[in-house]
């Protein structure tokens, strides 16, 4: 499937709107929390005051349930679920933070929704700040996540954390038993229990407006306990989850790890996410006085110098700084997500600068170049989604080296702004995924629907191709065949000039690979093809432009493949076509040979390789007469070349100045394809012989050499010199047509014989023998030379 690769870095987001009236498309940030100088002075978040520090420390450090608690048994389905999670060998445990942040975001959404009809539910002061806070306690190995959401009552804690909708749990368990992936745990409403991937004891402290503050705690041993919270700081409203991490989960106590996880999974969450992060700052402190050095200096000075030294020291003290700078570690709330989910907004509300910033954030590209194009749209119908597609300014460095083997995480699934997975290789064609970076967000209910995925795939692919086509249409350099008025209007926007050429140079090979791999979209991709031709004057042209320049009555699109444009311009296959004013396309990349195997026609026009049989350039009234007059020569020449794998010798209709060329059968390999296959490291000689096209020698009946050969053959068909000339001409034509001669030594010998004849040197002339010298004489001569050299050296 080609569509696993066109990296137009298309960034796509398919999404649902949560709480239809609760969440507007606006992404205005909530007021950030105040940054206090000292950790203990922070009046909100995960801080503690001096009255509860001791009790909270005791609570957080213990891994046994509190006394005087009300104990409950987990629902059987929950126990089964937790057993799967705890004993799972699944390596990606990072998802627990994603799930907790997602749940916190839901709680914040709920309280915001309630505040639309009752503003008092938000409370006052810090309780009105809708945010998520993350805090670390490295000493006790505790990770805490706090939100100011709706909170949970005692009954909510029992219901939400002790039982689960059976259908969701059963579906998840069934999925796991059939080889499912825990990465999709959030799809089944069991995300909270992912905490047991990294912890063995969990506390949930929650305060709802309608109830007291309670603590839910469990060691994942089949039971949980709930008690009124008299240990911890009052939350005001919301929930705080404390994970007592396992020994092997120590990496989640590192600030850098948590920052990376939030950036990966939760950077589009609609509420601010803060981390209580350390920061190294320069602090000014009083400078220390060095009395000892002063005393030593004074003891060494003389009585007469004491007064002078005292005056000098006094001046020096006045110049000494009274303070110095030292490094000190401080803590403050650092916001981790500041990227807006612009795909949820109306395209009219998003500025060009916002699109550019959004792209740079997604592609992790912090250069100055803007994406070449973008498309922001809403798809409606069976599956509704919003999407933003980007064409990046350049392709990755290793774009095609690992085309079929590399893992490309370009397709990303988001559910309610939360990253879920990037393993959807079949959703889009391979080539499109490489050229495009997608970020998808769509309805959970559609996730497992094959028909929905096909619909999404179809719509995204169409939009991606339309965007690339539009990029070409808006490029003034692509308007050379358009109406002059349109060209004048397009020239007003020079910023778009040359954009499609730039795109083609970066990603053109992906379009060609798409033609090979995606039959359904082959014609649409063919419209995006660009190439040079005999009439393009060094610029890129399209198939539509080629067809617009076709001669009246021309039925085929002519093309020629080779290693370079300069080589193709000199090809003998073009001689007659140029004289008749036909345009020929140049294909110079190895992939072009494969493309033309699949692209058989375009707009009812057939493709014709001018180096193969089947070229039709109109009929000549003397064709039959010419063939008849050269019948004896063609028959003789075919017999003469019997050992050269020549299928036939014919009169050519494509030559003007060259005496002969070698063409191949219509469905066999061309000379260029043979060269490509021979260069393959693991090519098989047997297969090459099978696929190699039958070779046909075409001769130019108007050329004087051919006419003279005909006369010589008629006169004496057994003349050895004529046979040698015929074989030499074939081998020369073979090379000029792009083939390799099978026996270079034999070819060289014939060339030398021809040179001898032209210099009137007899064919039996021998090479002069070299004078032989006895080995003893050679050694004696060498010794004499060495002796003479030594004498000269001594004299010098």
């Amino acid at each position: 499937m080609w569509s696993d690769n066109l990296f137009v870095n298309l960034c796509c987001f398919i999404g649902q709107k949560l709480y239809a009236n609760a969440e507007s498309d606006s992404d205005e940030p909530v007021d950030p929390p105040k940054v206090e100088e000292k950790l203990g002075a922070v009046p909100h978040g995960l801080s503690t005051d001096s009255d509860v520090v001791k009790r909270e420390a005791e609570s957080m450090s213990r891994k046994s349930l509190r006394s005087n608690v009300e104990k409950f048994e987990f629902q059987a389905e929950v126990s089964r679920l937790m057993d799967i999670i705890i004993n799972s060998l699944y390596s990606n445990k990072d998802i627990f933070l994603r799930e907790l942040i997602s749940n916190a975001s839901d709680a914040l959404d709920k309280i915001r929704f309630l505040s639309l009809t009752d503003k008092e539910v938000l409370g006052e002061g810090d309780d009105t700040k809708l945010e998520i806070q993350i805090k670390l306690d490295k000493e006790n190995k505790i990770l805490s996540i706090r939100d100011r959401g709706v909170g949970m009552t005692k009954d909510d804690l029992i219901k939400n954390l002790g039982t689960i909708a059976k259908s969701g749990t059963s579906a998840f368990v069934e999925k796991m038993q059939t080889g499912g992936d825990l990465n999709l745990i959030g799809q089944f409403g069991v995300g909270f229990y992912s905490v047991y991937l990294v912890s063995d004891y969990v506390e949930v402290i929650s305060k709802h407006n309608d109830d007291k503050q309670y603590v839910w705690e469990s060691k994942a041993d089949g039971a949980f306990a709930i008690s009124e919270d008299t240990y911890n700081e009052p939350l005001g409203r919301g929930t705080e989850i404390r994970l007592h991490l396992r020994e092997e989960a120590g990496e989640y106590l590192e600030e850098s790890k948590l920052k990376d996880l939030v950036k990966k999974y939760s950077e589009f969450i609609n509420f601010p996410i803060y981390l209580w992060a350390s920061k190294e700052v320069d602090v000014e402190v009083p400078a220390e006085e060095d009395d000892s050095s002063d005393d030593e200096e004074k003891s060494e000075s003389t009585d007469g110098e004491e007064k002078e030294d005292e005056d000098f020291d006094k001046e020096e003290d006045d110049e000494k700084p009274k303070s110095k700078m030292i490094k000190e570690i401080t803590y403050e709330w650092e916001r981790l997500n500041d990227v807006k989910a612009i795909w949820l907004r109306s395209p009219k509300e998003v500025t060009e600068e916002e699109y550019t910033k959004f792209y740079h954030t997604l592609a992790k590209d912090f250069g100055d170049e803007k994406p070449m194009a973008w498309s922001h749209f809403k798809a409606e119908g069976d599956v509704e989604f919003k999407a933003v597609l980007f064409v990046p300014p350049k392709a990755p460095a290793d774009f095609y080296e690992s085309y079929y083997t590399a893992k490309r995480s370009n397709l990303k699934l988001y559910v309610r702004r939360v990253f879920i997975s990037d393993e959807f290789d079949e959703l889009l064609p391979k080539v499109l995924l490489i050229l495009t970076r997608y970020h998808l967000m769509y309805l959970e209910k559609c996730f497992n629907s094959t028909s929905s995925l096909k619909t999404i795939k179809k719509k995204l692919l169409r939009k991606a191709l339309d965007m690339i086509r539009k990029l070409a249409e808006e490029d003034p350099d692509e308007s050379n065949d358009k109406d002059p008025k349109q060209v004048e209007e397009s020239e007003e926007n020079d910023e778009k000039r040359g954009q499609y050429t730039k795109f083609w140079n970066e990603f053109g090979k992906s379009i060609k690979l798409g033609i090979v791999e995606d039959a359904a979209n082959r014609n649409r991709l063919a419209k995006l093809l660009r190439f040079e031709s005999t009439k393009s004057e060094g610029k890129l042209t399209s198939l539509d432009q080629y067809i617009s320049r076709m001669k009246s009555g021309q039925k085929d699109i002519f093309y020629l493949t080779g290693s370079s444009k300069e080589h193709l311009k000199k090809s003998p296959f073009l001689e007659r076509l140029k004289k008749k004013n036909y345009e020929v396309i140049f294909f110079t990349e190895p992939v072009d040979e494969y493309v033309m195997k699949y692209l058989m026609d375009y707009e009812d026009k057939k493709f014709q390789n001018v180096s193969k049989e089947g070229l039709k350039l109109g009929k000549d009234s003397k064709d039959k007469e010419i063939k008849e007059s050269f019948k004896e020569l063609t028959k003789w020449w075919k017999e003469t070349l019997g050992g050269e794998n020549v299928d036939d010798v014919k009169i050519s209709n494509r030559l003007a100045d060259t005496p002969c060329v070698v063409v191949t059968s219509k469905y066999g390999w061309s000379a260029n394809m043979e060269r490509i296959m021979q260069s393959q490291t693991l090519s098989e000689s047997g297969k090459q012989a099978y696929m190699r096209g039958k070779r046909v020698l075409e001769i130019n009946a108007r050329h004087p050499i051919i006419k003279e050969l005909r006369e010589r053959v008629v006169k004496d068909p057994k003349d050895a010199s004529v046979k040698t000339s015929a074989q030499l001409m074939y081998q020369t034509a073979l090379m000029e047509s792009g083939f390799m001669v099978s026996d270079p030594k034999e070819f060289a010998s014939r060339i030398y014989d021809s040179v001898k004849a032209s210099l009137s040197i007899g064919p039996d002339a021998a090479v002069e023998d070299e004078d032989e010298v006895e080995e003893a004489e050679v050694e004696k001569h060498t010794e004499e030379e060495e002796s003479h050299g030594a004498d000269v050296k001594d004299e010098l």
Side-chain angles (χ1 to χ4, degrees):
M1 292 294 293
W2 81 283
S3 31
D4 297 331
N5 284 328
L6 230 132
F7 180 50
V8 179
N9 256 5
L10 297 183
C11 299
C12 220
F13 305 83
I14 310 173
Q16 69 173 345
K17 216 183 260 188
L18 189 62
Y19 307 113
N21 297 321
E23 179 180 348
S24 65
D25 282 341
S26 174
D27 280 270
E28 291 298 322
V30 184
D31 292 337
K34 298 178 180 178
V35 177
E36 304 294 340
E37 294 182 359
K38 296 182 179 179
L39 175 58
V42 179
H44 64 287
L46 301 174
S47 62
T48 60
D49 57 43
S50 57
D51 295 335
V52 296
V53 169
K54 185 176 181 181
R55 287 178 299 168
E56 185 173 346
E58 292 175 356
S59 167
M60 295 178 71
S61 62
R62 79 168 104 197
K63 291 191 178 182
S64 59
L65 301 182
R66 295 173 175 82
S67 59
N68 301 321
V69 296
E70 191 175 355
K71 295 185 178 180
F72 301 86
E73 294 292 328
F74 277 115
Q75 182 188 33
E77 287 289 330
V78 177
S79 297
R80 187 180 175 198
L81 166 69
M82 293 172 68
D83 183 64
I84 291 176
I85 294 175
I86 294 170
N87 297 299
S88 173
L89 298 178
Y90 184 64
S91 60
N92 185 15
K93 303 180 186 300
D94 298 345
I95 61 170
F96 82 92
L97 187 63
R98 175 195 76 189
E99 294 302 322
L100 295 184
I101 291 177
S102 178
N103 291 343
S105 176
D106 290 344
L108 291 167
D109 267 322
K110 290 177 182 178
I111 195 64
R112 186 168 68 174
F113 175 69
L114 294 173
S115 69
L116 295 178
T117 55
D118 183 5
K119 294 184 178 180
E120 294 183 1
V121 298
L122 288 179
E124 298 177 352
D126 295 328
D127 290 341
T128 63
K129 297 175 180 178
L130 304 182
E131 60 198 17
I132 301 169
Q133 297 170 326
I134 304 173
K135 195 172 179 182
L136 298 171
D137 181 355
K138 293 187 178 181
E139 183 178 351
N140 294 306
K141 298 182 180 179
I142 296 174
L143 171 62
S144 303
I145 295 102
R146 160 83 184 274
D147 68 73
R148 298 184 182 278
V150 68
M152 289 180 281
T153 64
K154 179 181 178 181
D155 290 340
D156 291 336
L157 288 170
I158 297 172
K159 179 180 178 182
N160 296 339
L161 305 185
T163 62
I164 301 180
K166 187 174 180 179
S167 58
T169 307
S170 298
F172 176 75
V173 171
E174 182 180 349
K175 185 75 173 179
M176 288 300 301
Q177 290 176 340
T178 56
D181 195 335
L182 277 179
N183 194 38
L184 301 181
I185 189 172
Q187 292 293 317
F188 301 94
V190 293
F192 168 76
Y193 298 99
S194 62
V195 295
Y196 291 107
L197 290 168
V198 296
S199 59
D200 51 15
Y201 174 57
V202 178
E203 295 175 273
V204 179
I205 306 162
S206 193
K207 173 66 173 72
H208 191 279
N209 285 338
D210 299 335
D211 205 346
K212 298 177 182 179
Q213 183 166 312
Y214 285 91
V215 177
W216 179 100
E217 53 186 326
S218 175
K219 296 190 295 182
D221 56 358
F224 64 91
I226 296 179
S227 60
E228 184 177 343
D229 187 11
T230 58
Y231 300 90
N232 303 297
E233 173 190 6
L235 297 180
R237 187 196 65 253
T239 301
E240 177 183 336
I241 300 177
R242 294 175 182 168
L243 309 182
H244 297 252
L245 300 177
R246 298 176 181 176
E247 289 294 333
E248 63 271 20
E251 60 181 313
Y252 299 107
L253 291 172
E254 299 298 328
E255 294 177 8
S256 58
K257 176 69 172 181
L258 296 180
K259 290 178 182 179
D260 291 342
L261 293 181
V262 171
K263 285 290 183 183
K264 178 178 180 179
Y265 291 105
S266 309
E267 65 179 337
F268 299 115
I269 291 294
N270 203 33
F271 301 97
I273 302 173
Y274 292 96
L275 174 67
W276 186 246
S278 60
K279 183 179 182 182
E280 190 176 64
V281 296
D282 292 325
V283 178
E284 187 176 358
V285 298
E288 297 179 0
E289 295 183 2
D290 192 356
D291 296 332
S292 60
S293 61
D294 291 342
D295 292 340
E296 289 177 5
E297 290 178 4
K298 288 180 180 179
S299 65
E300 294 175 0
S301 45
T302 63
D303 294 340
E305 296 174 338
E306 282 187 5
K307 186 175 181 180
E308 183 180 349
D309 289 343
E310 286 176 3
D311 294 338
F312 178 78
D313 290 341
K314 185 177 181 181
E315 292 177 3
E316 191 179 65
D317 289 341
D318 292 339
E319 294 177 0
K320 273 186 178 181
K322 302 298 182 182
S323 62
K324 62 180 180 180
M325 304 300 292
I326 64 171
K327 299 291 185 182
E328 188 174 286
I329 302 297
T330 62
Y331 287 83
E332 62 182 25
W333 290 111
E334 179 183 344
R335 184 166 180 176
L336 304 182
N337 63 324
D338 58 356
V339 182
K340 297 180 179 179
I342 63 173
W343 70 90
L344 294 178
R345 296 162 58 187
S346 169
K348 296 179 181 179
E349 299 175 359
V350 186
T351 64
E352 181 176 319
E353 290 73 20
E354 287 178 308
Y355 281 122
T356 302
K357 180 182 177 181
F358 188 63
Y359 166 74
H360 284 161
T361 301
L362 295 175
K364 301 299 185 287
D365 178 5
F366 302 103
D368 297 329
E369 287 188 278
K370 298 189 300 183
M372 282 191 262
W374 56 80
S375 176
H376 190 174
F377 64 93
K378 179 180 180 180
E380 297 179 339
D382 297 337
V383 179
E384 295 186 3
F385 61 89
K386 294 181 180 180
V388 181
L389 317 177
F390 289 98
V391 180
K394 56 185 177 182
D398 59 343
F399 200 52
Y400 296 105
E401 279 75 1
S402 53
Y403 179 79
Y404 290 103
T405 58
K407 171 74 170 62
R408 301 277 183 178
S409 299
N410 295 324
L411 177 61
K412 297 185 178 180
L413 167 67
Y414 281 79
V415 175
R416 293 181 297 179
R417 294 190 175 93
V418 178
F419 172 70
I420 298 298
S421 179
D422 58 3
E423 299 180 1
F424 296 93
D425 294 341
E426 298 302 322
L427 182 55
L428 288 171
K430 185 176 181 63
V431 177
L432 191 61
L433 277 182
I434 283 187
L435 183 56
T436 321
R437 186 181 301 277
Y438 293 86
H439 294 261
L440 300 181
M441 184 178 178
Y442 57 93
L443 301 177
E444 290 183 65
K445 65 182 181 181
C446 296
F447 180 72
N448 288 319
S449 171
T450 303
S451 60
S452 296
L453 291 178
K454 288 182 178 179
T455 302
I456 292 171
K457 175 179 179 178
K458 183 178 180 181
K459 290 184 178 181
L460 287 178
L461 186 57
R462 294 285 179 86
K463 284 292 184 179
L465 297 181
D466 287 346
M467 178 178 56
I468 300 171
R469 179 179 51 79
K470 186 178 179 181
L471 183 66
E473 292 175 350
E474 293 178 349
D475 186 348
D477 289 345
E478 290 277 317
S479 307
N480 54 334
D481 290 337
K482 294 182 179 179
D483 183 72
K485 185 178 180 181
Q486 292 180 345
V487 175
E488 184 178 350
E489 291 176 354
S490 63
E491 287 177 349
E492 295 177 0
N493 190 0
D494 287 336
E495 185 179 354
K496 297 184 180 295
R497 184 177 297 278
Q499 283 290 82
Y500 194 78
T501 299
K502 180 181 177 182
F503 165 82
W504 182 257
N505 292 335
E506 293 288 339
F507 303 108
K509 193 177 294 184
S510 290
I511 301 294
K512 294 177 179 180
L513 289 171
I515 291 174
V516 173
E517 298 178 359
D518 191 351
N521 294 286
R522 191 163 288 153
N523 194 60
R524 294 186 184 88
L525 290 166
K527 287 185 177 293
L528 304 176
L529 274 178
R530 294 297 182 272
F531 43 80
E532 290 189 52
S533 72
T534 53
K535 292 186 178 181
S536 66
E537 299 178 352
K539 297 181 180 179
L540 294 177
T541 188
S542 66
L543 288 174
D544 288 330
Q545 291 170 338
Y546 177 96
I547 291 175
S548 69
R549 296 191 292 263
M550 286 176 64
K551 289 182 62 177
S552 177
Q554 181 181 345
K555 296 180 179 180
D556 296 334
I557 298 174
F558 299 126
Y559 72 92
L560 183 61
T561 61
S563 58
S564 69
K565 179 182 67 175
E566 290 70 24
H567 171 75
L568 293 179
K569 282 182 176 180
K570 301 174 183 178
S571 174
F573 295 110
L574 301 180
E575 292 176 353
R576 192 86 179 274
L577 290 160
K578 284 182 178 179
K579 286 192 173 183
K580 288 182 171 288
N581 199 32
Y582 285 107
E583 183 176 4
V584 181
I585 295 169
F586 294 147
F587 285 132
T588 57
E589 290 186 319
V591 69
D592 294 332
E593 288 283 355
Y594 299 95
V595 170
M596 300 317 296
K597 281 185 176 182
Y598 293 89
L599 191 63
M600 307 299 293
D601 56 73
Y602 179 80
E603 300 294 342
D604 297 327
K605 305 290 184 182
K606 299 289 185 181
F607 285 93
Q608 174 63 51
N609 188 333
V610 298
S611 70
K612 291 188 174 185
E613 282 186 308
L615 181 65
K616 298 178 181 179
L617 300 176
K619 292 185 178 182
D620 191 327
S621 57
K622 297 182 179 180
D623 280 352
K624 290 185 178 181
E625 181 181 338
I626 293 174
K627 287 181 181 180
E628 188 64 30
S629 63
F630 280 86
K631 185 176 181 180
E632 188 173 351
L633 174 64
T634 56
K635 182 181 179 181
W636 172 86
W637 210 333
K638 180 180 178 180
E639 293 173 353
T640 301
L641 299 175
E644 297 284 356
N645 192 33
V646 176
D647 186 61
D648 202 358
V649 179
K650 297 181 178 180
I651 303 299
S652 178
N653 65 341
R654 71 187 86 209
L655 297 177
D657 303 318
T658 302
C660 54
V661 291
V662 177
V663 301
T664 57
S665 55
K666 191 169 185 178
Y667 299 104
W669 284 348
S670 65
N672 186 55
M673 189 62 178
E674 276 193 30
R675 177 182 59 83
I676 293 171
M677 294 306 298
Q678 287 172 357
S679 66
Q680 300 297 319
T681 305
L682 302 177
S683 59
E684 300 177 12
S685 57
K687 184 177 180 180
Q688 287 186 13
Y690 175 75
M691 292 300 297
R692 183 184 296 137
K694 293 181 178 180
R695 296 172 183 176
V696 176
L697 176 65
E698 289 192 357
I699 59 177
N700 184 357
R702 296 175 177 82
H703 199 280
I705 293 179
I706 302 301
K707 289 182 178 180
E708 180 64 22
L709 273 177
R710 181 184 61 176
E711 298 300 326
R712 296 274 186 106
V713 168
V714 171
K715 185 177 181 180
D716 185 5
K718 295 182 180 181
D719 188 337
S721 62
V722 175
K723 286 186 177 181
T724 300
S725 297
Q727 290 172 333
L728 184 59
M729 286 184 65
Y730 167 73
Q731 291 177 325
T732 304
L734 199 66
M735 295 182 63
E736 191 176 16
S737 302
F739 295 95
M740 297 289 291
V741 293
S742 57
D743 191 346
K745 178 66 176 176
E746 182 185 4
F747 174 69
S749 297
R750 287 172 178 167
I751 291 291
Y752 295 142
D753 290 343
S754 178
V755 172
K756 285 181 182 179
S758 66
L759 297 176
S760 300
I761 299 174
D764 298 329
V767 178
E768 183 177 349
D769 292 334
E770 183 180 358
D771 293 336
E772 293 185 4
V773 181
E774 294 294 334
E775 186 175 344
E777 293 182 7
V778 172
E779 291 179 355
K780 181 180 179 181
H781 181 67
T782 303
E783 290 175 357
E784 290 176 353
E785 286 183 345
E786 290 177 352
S787 176
H788 176 69
D791 294 340
V792 173
K793 183 177 180 181
D794 291 340
E795 291 177 4
L796 293 175

